[in-house]
């Protein structure tokens, strides 16, 4: 069995097929990861930071070649891929900063107190790596959510070896990236087992079931994610599964914003909807707006254009989704973007529906249609809007366009959205996910399989760490993070007070 | 259907039977919790702290009556129950302190930076309550891990309404405690839905499946916990399930410690093994020791005595476990404690096995036998010990008894134990779990269903909180925790730096 890459612009094969990893191959990679787990976790945070920076440098050095291959396999274009690779290497470097700063281990020291109930001994808690991690790459970010993407960077930073399951729509990019990462780690002195890669559907399932793997990160479709989530939970030893499964990203335009900034809002919406052929988990699939805005929105979408999608399967699913909407009498097609040339291309579409019909057909109309298709849900009264928002399921983001004069309503909308959305956006669009300390890229089911954690930003490292408490432990046997002298100078909590003692 | 309490000292019913909650009853309690979620989460942390303190005061005021009922239903004795109730109210008050300190929301502010890739907008992240929580009480702590125990206290503190599933072996204690909690909350102005209780097996299953419930905490048996874990995962909308399922708590005595402190170690072990008739999740089920220590250990266990267990089912499972060990030719019975009088009583037992036989029969000999039964695994060589420890599954605790002269070996033992145990203990025994900032009461499967979190201590609140990021949000619409002026004066991270700005 092999995995073959294709050029979405032509539908023709590109590059040599990559061998699917055999059962024995998966076992060998996972065993190597298990053997590397102790030594990798025993390295200091500073050493791991240096290694991540070396990987980032090596990827930057290989940028031209990696981008060329990725462009033939994804048709995302060199400008976008150049930015995406930069984002990827900046992400690796951010985790280097997280490791140096040191508070990610949550070092906590309580002095003994025999007089309370129950009595308290000397207790010292910190987070430590949970073991080898499996990472499933996404199709739509061949660098930033793929082989050397956020899951890999955060897991390596945490002290966990990583085994990546490559995405089948960019096998060449995946293997080339993996070679760069592995060589950089080897040159910096890391054991081979710290990083590995497998290809093929069966290899992915075996990876999730392998006893050496202690957690899994996944970005992809709802159906694929739920199936692997269930596989992870049904193991003899279930493991944490962090899946980002897709999202409808409701955006709300309040009446005054619609009246005063119709053109600007419509242009921003059309750009966010069609950017990257709509292939973002933060694509604004649902827009809630007064009826008066629909014509302006339609005009903007008519001025947009589509392009080739990442894979034939993705284009077919998109086409089937818009066909189903188009032939339904629930919604009205109000705009079609420019028809692109050949290959696996998709054309932008805008549909409209009124709030009552939307609520009556909620399940059908909130299915994610991955690609440049949007639904405008028109509302007349604020109370109708608030009622509809209270019925939505979990999503990665929720956006509000408002004028200061309607902040009272904006606050009520935010109160609805914060219960279902991981990130609330004001007068902007959900596409574009910063890599930062304060980023949360997550949300309640079905946006993710675990609402407590993020897959982007500094705190994504928390997914791969488990607490350990040391009770009455001698100083010389404690990890440096927990010794009285605080040799690493990291932020710690002592007797309940945060500081650097 | 009703739930009847029994006196373990006599095996006879005590108190009036409590009605099992009907399907409609469960639905009503869950609906009320869902309705209370918004208002409860909208209260300030300081208000919730006051409410928790009121609940603690009310429980202290009701101590005599609660302890009297609990003693008839559990036979744990008034001294232990008095201490346990004090622990429970101190736990509620600790969460009051956690709320006032404020860093539990992880407030994080990043200022905009348009020049990096990808550009960073104004981003502000904090943790917010995830919604109504279901709490399954344990049998063995009728106060501290029951109706007003750690799961309830931490979830209420987080801003989540709680619905408790009462444990069937202390229904009267559960209902009486629930009445005190509900009355105290009502008197302090909380909506009725903030706290509810249900009784009966079917009610428990319905609770886990109810769409209003957004997470579950559980302390109990492996089989019950795994079944509910699967129920939570198989919902249309799966929810986080935090189960503490039991533990074998390996304790290691190194050669010099065994040689120099045999009597003290044996006495401490026997006390830890038989305290509370061995009904602790931190009971030291496995002891690794040099063969020379066995006679002293056996003598100490022969000097111990048993007592009535919490429930007939628990006593029967214990008896079946020790009978199975006793009739096996793998282990040798080396000591039996004093036979207690009547009721559902259990007698302490100590078995021995050598390390090779133990490894060859690992699965059978690491099954938790809940109660005052221990297995001593004898080892001759340190390498044998290290090899055996490397084969153990997840556990709540791991203990080491060592002399300073053998710290090199102690460090290697700790390196093995930290991969499987949530708390590492030096020269002490695992029973006794402090309620503190630095406590971790958790561990890898099968000790818990989620190795990232603790069910005891300040950080147990993290289980009920989900992140939300606010992007480019106007000051006046931000939660106070994220406003520039930091009106609550809580610790925050600004542009990567922890502090109180």
């Amino acid at each position: 069995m092999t995995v073959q890459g294709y050029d979405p612009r032509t539908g023709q094969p590109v590059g040599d097929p990559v061998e699917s990893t055999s059962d024995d191959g998966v076992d060998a990679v996972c065993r190597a990861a298990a053997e590397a787990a102790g030594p990798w976790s025993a390295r200091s945070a500073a050493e791991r930071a240096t290694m991540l920076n070396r990987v980032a440098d090596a990827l930057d050095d290989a940028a031209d070649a990696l981008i060329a291959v990725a462009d033939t396999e994804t048709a995302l274009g060199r400008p976008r891929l150049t930015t995406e690779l930069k984002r990827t290497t900046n992400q690796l470097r951010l985790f280097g900063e997280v490791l140096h700063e040191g508070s990610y281990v949550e070092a906590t020291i309580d002095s003994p107190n025999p007089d309370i109930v129950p009595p308290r001994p000397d207790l010292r808690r910190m987070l430590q790596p949970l073991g080898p991690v499996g990472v499933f790459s996404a199709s739509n970010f061949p660098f930033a959510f793929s082989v050397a993407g956020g899951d890999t960077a955060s897991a390596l930073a945490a002290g966990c070896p990583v085994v990546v399951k490559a995405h089948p729509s960019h096998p060449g990019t995946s293997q080339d990236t993996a070679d760069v990462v592995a060589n950089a780690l080897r040159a910096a002195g890391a054991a081979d087992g710290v990083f590995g890669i497998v290809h093929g559907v069966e290899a992915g399932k075996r990876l999730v079931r392998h006893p050496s793997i202690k957690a899994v990160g996944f970005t992809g479709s709802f159906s694929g994610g739920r199936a692997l989530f269930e596989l992870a939970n049904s193991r003899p030893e279930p493991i944490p599964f962090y899946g980002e499964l897709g999202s409808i990203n409701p955006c709300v335009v309040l009446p005054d914003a619609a009246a005063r900034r119709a053109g600007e809002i419509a242009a921003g919406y059309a750009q966010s909807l069609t950017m990257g052929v709509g292939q973002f988990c933060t694509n604004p699939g649902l827009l809630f707006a007064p009826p008066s805005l629909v014509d302006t929105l339609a005009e903007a979408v008519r001025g947009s254009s589509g392009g080739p999608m990442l894979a034939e399967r993705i284009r077919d699913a998109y086409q089937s989704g818009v066909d189903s909407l188009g032939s339904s009498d629930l919604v009205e097609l109000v705009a079609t973007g420019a028809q692109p040339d050949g290959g696996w291309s998709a054309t932008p579409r805008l549909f409209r529906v009124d709030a009552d019909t939307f609520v009556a057909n909620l399940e059908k109309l909130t299915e994610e249609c991955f690609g440049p298709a949007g639904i405008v849900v028109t509302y007349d009264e604020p109370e109708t809007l608030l009622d509809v928002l209270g019925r939505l399921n979990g999503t990665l983001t929720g956006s509000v366009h408002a004028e200061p004069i309607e902040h009272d309503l904006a606050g009520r909308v935010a109160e609805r959205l914060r219960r279902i959305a991981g990130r609330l956006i004001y007068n902007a669009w959900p596409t574009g996910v910063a890599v930062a300390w304060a980023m949360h890229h997550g949300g309640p089911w079905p946006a993710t399989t675990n609402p407590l954690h993020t897959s982007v930003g500094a705190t994504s490292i928390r997914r791969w760490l488990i607490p350990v408490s040391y009770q009455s432990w001698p100083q010389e046997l404690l990890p440096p993070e927990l010794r009285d002298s605080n040799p690493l100078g990291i932020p710690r909590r002592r007797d309940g007070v945060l500081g650097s003692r």
Side-chain angles (χ1 to χ4, degrees), chain A:
Chain A
M1 295 276 288
T2 59
V3 183
Q4 175 65 59
Y6 291 86
D7 185 340
R9 296 185 178 97
T10 63
Q12 296 303 307
V14 287
D16 295 330
V18 176
E19 284 291 319
S20 294
T21 310
S22 65
D23 287 358
D24 286 351
V26 175
D27 293 349
V29 173
C30 292
R31 252 197 325 271
E35 279 163 24
W40 184 243
S41 74
R43 285 184 183 269
S44 70
E47 285 175 312
R48 290 202 304 273
T50 301
M51 301 261 195
L52 293 178
N53 285 322
R54 296 277 179 83
V55 171
D57 294 344
L59 289 167
D60 280 340
D61 289 346
D64 289 349
L66 292 173
I67 289 166
V69 174
D71 191 38
T72 60
E73 288 185 328
T74 66
L76 288 173
R78 289 181 187 232
R80 145 73 193 271
L81 290 167
T82 302
T83 309
E84 189 187 322
L85 184 58
K86 195 71 203 160
R87 171 204 181 92
T88 307
T89 56
N90 283 350
Q91 186 161 254
L92 286 156
R93 293 187 182 97
L94 173 69
F95 284 107
E97 293 172 35
V98 169
L99 291 176
H100 279 295
E101 195 264 350
S103 63
Y104 77 99
V105 301
E106 298 182 8
T108 305
I109 300 177
D110 286 331
S111 48
N113 184 345
D115 299 327
I116 55 170
V117 176
R120 189 175 67 215
D122 181 292
L123 269 179
R124 295 161 193 253
R125 170 188 183 269
M126 68 177 287
L127 304 183
Q128 298 189 351
L130 60 54
V133 165
V135 169
F136 282 70
S137 300
S139 62
N140 59 339
F141 280 91
F143 297 126
F145 287 79
S146 190
V147 173
D151 285 348
T152 297
S154 56
L156 289 176
C160 301
V162 168
V163 179
V164 171
K165 155 65 174 62
H167 197 278
S169 36
H170 51 268
T173 312
S174 298
Q175 190 58 52
D176 290 356
T177 307
D179 291 343
V180 172
V181 172
N183 287 335
L185 287 170
R186 191 178 304 122
D192 279 355
V194 169
F195 176 83
I197 187 167
V198 300
H199 296 269
V201 174
E202 291 307 314
K205 291 186 198 161
R206 194 171 182 88
L207 176 64
V208 173
R209 284 194 304 250
H210 200 282
S212 295
I213 297 298
K214 299 304 181 191
V216 171
F218 170 94
T219 307
S221 71
F222 179 80
S223 57
R226 173 131 207 181
L228 292 174
F229 171 69
E230 283 167 8
L231 207 57
N233 286 327
S234 65
R235 288 167 43 126
E237 175 206 5
I239 53 173
F241 181 89
Y242 305 103
E244 191 211 302
L245 307 186
S247 180
I248 51 160
N249 303 296
C251 301
V252 176
V253 184
L254 296 188
D256 283 285
R260 298 190 194 189
R261 292 187 276 123
E264 171 203 327
I265 287 171
Y269 169 69
Q271 196 204 2
S272 183
L273 183 74
T274 61
M275 182 166 56
V277 201
Q279 300 168 111
F280 291 107
C281 47
T282 53
N283 191 257
L286 278 184
L287 185 70
F288 297 87
S292 61
L293 194 65
V294 174
D295 286 348
T296 322
L297 292 166
E299 196 184 321
V301 171
R302 274 192 293 271
S304 73
S305 48
M309 297 192 83
L310 292 154
E312 189 169 26
R313 187 182 51 74
I314 291 174
R315 195 273 317 265
D316 291 349
Y318 175 73
Q319 201 55 52
S320 151
V322 294
D323 288 350
S324 162
L325 285 171
S327 64
S328 145
D329 54 3
L330 301 174
V331 300
E332 178 194 349
L333 178 67
V334 293
T336 301
Q339 185 92 22
D341 298 333
W344 296 331
S345 283
T347 305
R349 295 271 196 291
L350 184 66
F351 300 91
R352 78 176 281 176
V353 63
D354 63 85
D356 288 346
T357 308
F358 178 76
V359 166
N361 300 277
L362 197 66
E363 198 166 338
K364 177 172 174 58
L365 297 178
T366 54
E367 265 177 37
E368 186 186 14
C369 179
F370 191 72
I375 300 178
V376 189
V377 183
T378 59
Y379 69 90
D380 292 300
E381 298 299 327
E383 292 307 323
T384 308
L385 172 67
L386 293 168
D387 174 65
V388 178
L389 295 177
R391 295 165 187 266
L392 297 179
N393 282 327
T395 173
L396 293 171
T397 70
S399 303
V400 183
H401 295 264
E403 291 289 302
I405 197 177
E406 56 197 343
H407 271 183
D408 186 55
L409 177 57
R412 295 171 71 202
V413 166
E415 178 54 30
R416 292 287 191 291
L417 289 178
R418 77 168 178 84
R419 298 192 207 170
I420 56 162
R423 177 165 53 108
L424 301 187
I425 300 152
Y426 182 83
N427 280 350
W429 300 97
T431 42
V433 181
V435 180
W437 288 90
M439 173 51 68
H440 178 54
H441 189 64
W445 183 277
T448 77
T449 58
N450 186 319
L452 270 76
H453 296 283
T454 178
S455 61
V456 178
T459 58
S460 64
I461 196 173
R462 181 64 180 87
R463 296 174 295 168
W464 323 117
L465 294 164
I466 55 176
V468 178
S469 285
Y470 293 82
Q471 177 175 326
S472 308
W473 211 252
Q475 285 288 313
E476 66 186 272
L477 292 181
L478 282 170
E481 290 86 347
L482 296 179
R483 288 183 202 144
D484 280 344
S485 59
N486 193 9
L488 305 179
I490 60 172
R492 308 198 293 188
R493 184 187 298 279
R494 287 195 85 143
D495 292 325
V497 181
L498 274 178
S500 57
R501 287 187 305 138

